[in-house]
Amino acid sequence: MVVLVVLLLALFPRMAQEAHTVKCRVQYLHHPLHKYHQPGDFIIGGIASHGTFIFSSASFSEEPPPALSEELAVVPKGYQHILALAFAVKEINENPHILPNLTLGFHIYDSYIIAIKTYHATMLLLSTLEKFLPNYICDTQNNLTAVIGGLDSQTSLHVATILDIYKIPQLIYGPTPVMNTKIPGQPFYQMAPAESHQFAGILSLLLHFRWTWIGVAVVDNDNGERFIQKVLPLFSNRGICFAFVETIPKFSFLAEGYTLMQQGAKIHDIVMGSKANVVVAYGEASTTIFLRWLPYLSMLGRTKTNTKGKVWISTAQVEFISVAFQRDWDATIFNGAITFRIHSNDLPGFHQYVEGRNPFNAEGDDFIWDFWQNAFGCVFPHHVLDEVVGDICTGMENLENLHASLFEMTVQGQSYSIYNAVFAMAHALHTMSLAIHKHSQMVSRGRQKLQKQPFWQLHHFLRGVSFNNSAGDTVSFNQNGEVISTLDVINWVISSNQSFHRVKIGRMDPEAPPDQAFTLHEDAITWHGWFNQVRPLSVCTENCHAGSRKKVKEGEPFCCYDCIPCPEGKISNQEDMSDCDKCSDKDYPSKNQDACIPKDISFLSYEEPLGISLVCFSLSFSLITALVLGTFVKHHDTPIVIANNRNLTYTLLISLLLCFLCALLFLGQPEKVTCLLRQTTFGIIFSVAVSCVLAKTITVVLAFMATKPGSRMRRWVGKGLANTIVLCCSFVQAGICIVWLATFPPFPDVDSYSVAKEIILECNEGSVMMFYVVLSYMGFLAIISFIVAFLARKLPDSFNEAKFISFSMLVFCSVWLSFIPSYLSTKGKYMVAVEIFSILASGAGLLGCIFSPKCYIIVFRPQLNNREQLMRKKN
């Protein structure tokens, strides 16, 4: 209804005064309780928020009575905003370089944080002084050039609704109102950086400290709803979860007071009972007034919740303020809070200006009387109708003695914005006046033209404003009408005696590169005493340490999870990983599964103990074989050597010697040549050795069969048969190896999987089937030799080798039958060691079983190595 009345008034035609001023006889009873006027050629309007009335909302059924000062609850700190505007106007009027020969004045009214009062104050700015006749010129017209205000988004919205009709610029120092139909050219300018920069700063702060489980308290208005709908999802996308989202009730004193206290008690219990140690408060200037009630409202709750320390994070709109009766209340709930503040510096002369101010020298200032009484808890006798109760104000009280929540001598963020807003308007007017003077011959005419200029044209000059203020900061607007400025990150420090200090701990620079926009000095932060100066944690679940991963609990936010160990073969090298990663083929997981360790390169080398042992055995057996061969060569004419097929024996010994030496091909890092040669060389040489044994066995059998009368076997007995057997059997194996090399040749390979902690350098056989074909063929020859020797073991001959060959073949077969399961069950270099051991063991078995009896006779019993002894045994 108020808005409708305002719009109707605005539609009346404005009547211009042509010849003389019309005297209007209008009686208007509802004069503003507080105003502050200073005359000037151009008037800047101010909408302050000095306090609010403690009465119920209007019923609109009857005309409300005039407001009384006794019904006013003053917020003393709001008076600094009024002083900042007055101080800025004073400096401009004293500066000959800005608006020379022109003066600025101001009209300041209070919104009382009530819609009807805000509309009233705005219409007063547009009306003739002391008259409430919108669109009519009575007496002297106010040259209203711009309006500065308001403190909260709702007040700014109410002011903008009216000023939009007249296109008068509005400079807002509070949060931007939510405009339902915002169009280009909307007549307000934001004296603070866009809120999106504050939100980005809060998110950076949360991510810096890894606070992923937080509480949220938002003001109950359109801005709060916008914060929930648009900002919280952005936080969620970056891994932030919300323990609770509570609405801060609108600031009220009398209406629904008990309900308000119950809501406060509920919020207190939720905040203090939550596991979240961080609470993000998106509110307005009066938010701290409500929050200071929380420790006292808790006693209204059904359950008594102990007050715990919390880290409060707030936007720049939230100021440390209180009403008069809260002056002595405990404020340690805010100790350690981190807030974002519009960048500000000390203004030269402001402290002295405030210090010298008192109710008796502030001409035209109606605000100072109630401010002084509420700030100092005293009364001025001439301002009280009833009997004076309490201390009497002298006007000489010291402002510096006031608590910081009531008043501060240094200019703060919002007051700094008001100061800059006044100067921005002055510079825009100055630029506009210069443009007019170019087309005017006389200064007086130019002055008159400037005063008659429609001030909607001021928008053009205001958008292009850029200047350095007295503190040295540059003030200018971007294309969206938002001031270009940084944000200070402030730490609130409240000591046990309730003294309050602000400590700058960082900054948010929207113009800097994204990775440098947010800076923080963590060491400068003072935390709430509850945390014992240890960085607070605010997580739903303790961090999952490296070596484990997160498993989200069903039905819980994604920040609430269980920590489970990584599966075997995977690692997580950071905290709170959603999944475990597999190490590369060259690495393996550590014992705690928190790192990938490079695998050791593994192959059977000559330097390691196992390799050295095998080399020693190989060379030892080779030396023994060479000695045996030398012994046989030395005694080649003796009966025992001749009787056992001398040439076949030499061939067998040489092949055994080569078998022992070929074991060395399996040692060392696999190369292409060694991989090609080692299995084929071993297969062919061993086939020659086994073929020699088979030839010796067959020769013995045929020799005894040929002694029988009329036997046809005599034609088969001789050296030719033995050589044929050796060559044929060896050629078959050689043919198999040639096919192997031609089709699937062995090659050097890397095995990263068989052994977890090692990379095995090995020879890939190319075709496992061909490898087992070679072994099978050797086994086939060995079995044939064993069978033939076993059948010939009882043949009568002093030098019959059948028994020894049978035993040697039994050893040979046993070794290689054991080799297969052993080879398949081992990995890496131990597979090679098993094969070398099998080669050495089987070769040693042949050497020992077949030649040790002969060497014993040749070396130790030479008397038995003669023809007579042989013939005597035959007889």
Side-chain angles (χ1 to χ4, degrees):
M1 182 176 291
V2 174
V3 177
L4 181 61
V5 171
V6 169
L7 293 177
L8 289 173
L9 288 172
L11 293 175
F12 288 139
R14 176 179 287 245
M15 300 180 65
Q17 177 183 0
E18 297 291 340
H20 60 275
T21 302
V22 178
K23 297 294 182 180
C24 301
R25 295 177 175 83
V26 178
Q27 292 186 351
Y28 180 65
L29 300 177
H30 293 276
H31 293 285
L33 186 61
H34 298 93
K35 62 181 183 296
Y36 187 5
H37 291 172
Q38 179 176 310
D41 295 320
F42 302 101
I43 300 299
I44 293 179
I47 302 295
S49 295
H50 187 231
T52 190
F53 287 103
I54 49 175
F55 52 62
S56 302
S57 57
S59 62
F60 295 100
S61 60
E62 59 182 2
E63 183 178 358
L68 301 176
S69 60
E70 287 78 6
E71 298 173 331
L72 181 67
V74 174
V75 180
K77 205 164 189 177
Y79 185 63
Q80 191 189 75
H81 301 162
I82 299 171
L83 293 181
L85 193 154
F87 177 69
V89 170
K90 172 180 175 291
E91 283 199 334
I92 292 169
N93 289 335
E94 293 175 354
N95 189 338
H97 302 292
I98 304 177
L99 295 175
N101 302 316
L102 295 171
T103 58
L104 277 184
F106 56 80
H107 293 171
I108 303 175
Y109 296 102
D110 201 337
S111 70
Y112 302 108
I113 322 177
I114 301 172
I116 189 172
K117 296 294 183 181
T118 304
Y119 286 123
H120 183 205
T122 308
M123 295 304 295
L124 283 173
L125 291 174
L126 295 167
S127 302
T128 300
L129 193 63
E130 303 297 339
K131 309 288 183 182
F132 188 70
L133 288 174
N135 294 331
Y136 283 86
I137 302 173
C138 297
D139 302 323
T140 303
Q141 183 186 8
N142 294 335
N143 292 318
L144 183 66
T145 58
V147 175
I148 299 175
L151 180 61
D152 60 79
S153 61
Q154 292 299 309
T155 300
S156 299
L157 178 59
H158 300 327
V159 175
T161 303
I162 297 176
L163 294 184
D164 185 35
I165 301 171
Y166 301 92
K167 305 304 178 186
I168 294 177
Q170 177 186 1
L171 292 90
I172 298 174
Y173 58 91
T176 306
V178 178
M179 305 297 291
N180 295 327
T181 56
K182 178 115 169 40
I183 58 174
Q186 190 76 24
F188 63 75
Y189 298 83
Q190 182 68 29
M191 295 308 299
E195 284 190 314
S196 58
H197 301 313
Q198 298 188 54
F199 303 150
I202 293 175
L203 180 58
S204 299
L205 182 68
L206 296 175
L207 295 177
H208 174 82
F209 290 112
R210 297 184 180 180
W211 291 333
T212 58
W213 184 243
I214 66 171
V216 177
V218 298
V219 66
D220 186 13
N221 59 20
D222 291 341
N223 280 29
E225 185 64 26
R226 179 177 61 180
F227 182 84
I228 293 174
Q229 296 296 329
K230 295 185 177 181
V231 179
L232 294 190
L234 299 178
F235 285 21
S236 296
N237 293 339
R238 297 297 300 274
I240 309 297
C241 297
F242 310 106
F244 57 86
V245 178
E246 289 297 319
T247 301
I248 301 173
K250 291 183 180 179
F251 185 65
S252 176
F253 282 87
L254 187 63
E256 302 177 352
Y258 184 72
T259 302
L260 183 68
M261 289 190 289
Q262 284 185 319
Q263 290 177 343
K266 175 187 173 185
I267 293 174
H268 175 271
D269 292 342
I270 291 174
V271 171
M272 295 305 165
S274 172
K275 187 179 177 181
N277 287 325
V278 174
V279 182
V280 173
Y282 177 75
E284 296 179 338
S286 61
T287 298
T288 51
I289 296 177
F290 173 79
L291 294 178
R292 292 194 69 178
W293 277 91
L294 293 186
Y296 303 94
L297 294 176
S298 64
M299 59 186 68
L300 295 175
R302 296 181 180 179
T303 59
K304 297 299 183 291
T305 305
N306 294 327
T307 301
K308 298 186 293 186
K310 300 289 180 181
V311 179
W312 292 86
I313 300 175
S314 66
T315 53
Q317 293 76 31
V318 178
E319 287 279 355
F320 183 59
I321 63 175
S322 63
V323 290
F325 59 81
Q326 292 178 316
R327 71 175 71 245
D328 297 323
W329 286 16
D330 184 11
T332 53
I333 183 177
F334 299 121
N335 185 31
I338 299 175
T339 68
F340 287 78
R341 184 188 68 179
I342 302 167
H343 173 72
S344 62
N345 280 321
D346 289 337
L347 296 175
F350 183 76
H351 186 279
Q352 292 78 4
Y353 176 78
V354 174
E355 190 176 32
R357 196 167 185 90
N358 64 65
F360 301 110
N361 63 11
E363 183 180 355
D365 184 359
D366 294 342
F367 292 93
I368 193 170
W369 300 98
D370 283 318
F371 158 74
W372 206 272
Q373 292 183 132
N374 282 271
F376 292 104
C378 59
V379 294
F380 288 102
H382 64 283
H383 268 255
V384 179
L385 298 178
D386 300 329
E387 182 181 354
V388 176
V389 178
D391 298 333
I392 296 177
C393 297
T394 64
M396 296 297 105
E397 288 82 4
N398 192 348
L399 291 172
E400 292 189 11
N401 294 334
L402 292 175
H403 190 268
S405 66
L406 297 176
F407 192 79
E408 292 181 81
M409 300 293 290
T410 57
V411 67
Q412 297 304 318
Q414 291 170 338
S415 299
Y416 193 72
S417 297
I418 294 172
Y419 177 87
N420 288 334
V422 175
F423 267 87
M425 286 304 309
H427 279 276
L429 277 171
H430 182 77
T431 306
M432 188 174 178
S433 68
L434 292 178
I436 293 174
H437 287 164
K438 289 181 181 179
H439 304 284
S440 175
Q441 296 296 327
M442 297 177 61
V443 174
S444 59
R445 290 183 181 178
R447 176 176 178 176
Q448 293 175 1
K449 286 187 177 182
L450 180 61
Q451 289 178 324
K452 293 181 179 180
Q453 193 76 10
F455 286 104
W456 59 265
Q457 296 182 6
L458 193 62
H459 288 286
H460 170 73
F461 300 97
L462 193 57
R463 293 189 191 100
V465 131
S466 180
F467 63 93
N468 290 334
N469 63 16
S470 61
D473 291 331
T474 302
V475 180
S476 61
F477 296 98
N478 61 19
Q479 65 274 17
N480 297 322
E482 300 160 346
V483 75
I484 300 174
S485 175
T486 60
L487 293 163
D488 296 332
V489 185
I490 303 298
N491 182 211
W492 288 0
V493 181
I494 301 174
S495 58
S496 57
N497 63 357
Q498 301 303 304
S499 62
F500 175 79
H501 303 282
R502 289 184 179 89
V503 179
K504 183 178 177 180
I505 58 173
R507 68 191 300 229
M508 182 70 188
D509 187 358
E511 302 298 315
D515 58 336
Q516 302 175 13
F518 181 76
T519 56
L520 187 70
H521 306 292
E522 186 176 344
D523 295 337
I525 301 177
T526 299
W527 302 111
H528 192 284
W530 177 272
F531 304 110
N532 295 321
Q533 203 51 32
V534 177
R535 179 202 284 191
L537 291 176
S538 190
V539 293
C540 181
T541 304
E542 292 291 336
N543 294 338
C544 287
H545 299 295
S548 61
R549 68 176 182 88
K550 299 188 294 186
K551 182 182 179 182
V552 179
K553 295 180 180 178
E554 187 175 354
E556 297 284 341
F558 61 86
C559 293
C560 302
Y561 46 80
D562 294 320
C563 298
I564 61 175
C566 287
E568 187 176 356
K570 292 187 175 183
I571 64 104
S572 61
N573 55 4
Q574 297 178 4
E575 293 183 342
D576 291 336
M577 291 192 67
S578 300
D579 200 2
C580 299
D581 299 322
K582 192 174 182 180
C583 291
S584 67
D585 293 343
K586 296 181 179 180
D587 302 318
Y588 69 94
S590 62
K591 182 179 180 181
N592 296 328
Q593 294 181 282
D594 56 359
C596 288
I597 302 174
K599 291 182 179 180
D600 296 328
I601 303 299
S602 175
F603 59 89
L604 191 57
S605 67
Y606 296 98
E607 290 82 8
E608 61 181 295
L610 180 58
I612 294 173
S613 300
L614 293 174
V615 168
C616 292
F617 280 114
S618 176
L619 295 178
S620 299
F621 288 134
S622 300
L623 179 61
I624 293 171
T625 305
L627 290 175
V628 172
L629 179 60
T631 301
F632 272 66
V633 171
K634 182 179 180 180
H635 299 86
H636 68 283
D637 291 331
T638 58
I640 196 169
V641 176
I642 296 171
N644 285 278
N645 196 332
R646 183 168 46 195
N647 293 333
L648 203 58
T649 299
Y650 292 160
T651 304
L652 176 58
L653 286 172
I654 292 172
S655 63
L656 287 177
L657 175 62
L658 294 177
C659 284
F660 292 133
L661 293 176
C662 81
L664 300 177
L665 292 173
F666 291 82
L667 293 168
Q669 183 172 343
E671 302 289 346
K672 185 175 182 180
V673 175
T674 56
C675 288
L676 287 171
L677 292 178
R678 67 184 192 178
Q679 296 291 5
T680 54
T681 302
F682 149 70
I684 294 173
I685 293 174
F686 247 96
S687 295
V688 172
V690 178
S691 299
C692 290
V693 174
L694 178 60
K696 289 172 71 69
T697 308
I698 293 175
T699 301
V700 171
V701 173
L702 292 179
F704 279 95
M705 293 178 65
T707 58
K708 295 180 180 180
S711 176
R712 297 180 181 179
M713 294 297 176
R714 292 184 180 181
R715 59 180 178 176
W716 295 102
V717 177
K719 296 180 180 180
L721 177 62
N723 293 336
T724 301
I725 293 173
V726 172
L727 291 174
C728 290
C729 294
S730 300
F731 282 147
V732 172
Q733 185 72 292
I736 295 173
C737 291
I738 291 172
V739 173
W740 184 5
L741 294 177
T743 54
F744 305 103
F747 57 90
D749 197 10
V750 176
D751 182 6
S752 303
Y753 306 102
S754 297
V755 180
K757 300 181 180 180
E758 296 178 354
I759 296 177
I760 301 168
L761 302 183
E762 62 179 6
C763 284
N764 191 309
E765 308 305 346
S767 174
V768 177
M769 182 187 72
M770 295 301 296
F771 173 64
Y772 285 110
V773 167
V774 170
L775 291 182
S776 300
Y777 181 72
M778 286 193 304
F780 171 73
L781 294 179
I783 291 172
I784 296 299
S785 298
F786 173 73
I787 293 173
V788 175
F790 183 77
L791 296 176
R793 71 188 185 285
K794 295 184 179 179
L795 295 177
D797 190 349
S798 297
F799 302 106
N800 182 13
E801 295 181 286
K803 294 179 181 179
F804 304 120
I805 291 174
S806 300
F807 190 69
S808 67
M809 288 297 102
L810 182 61
V811 173
F812 184 89
C813 292
S814 299
V815 169
W816 287 102
L817 286 174
S818 301
F819 162 78
I820 294 174
S822 301
Y823 185 80
L824 295 175
S825 62
T826 54
K827 302 294 181 183
K829 61 185 178 182
Y830 297 105
M831 294 178 67
V832 181
V834 166
E835 187 168 359
I836 294 175
F837 175 80
S838 300
I839 293 172
L840 297 178
S842 58
L846 291 176
L847 180 64
C849 294
I850 295 176
F851 292 100
S852 58
K854 298 177 180 60
C855 290
Y856 176 76
I857 293 174
I858 293 173
V859 177
F860 298 105
R861 300 291 297 274
Q863 67 275 13
L864 299 178
N865 189 11
N866 56 68
R867 187 175 181 80
E868 291 76 11
Q869 182 67 23
L870 176 63
M871 296 304 295
R872 189 179 66 80
K873 284 199 173 186
K874 280 186 178 183
N875 294 330

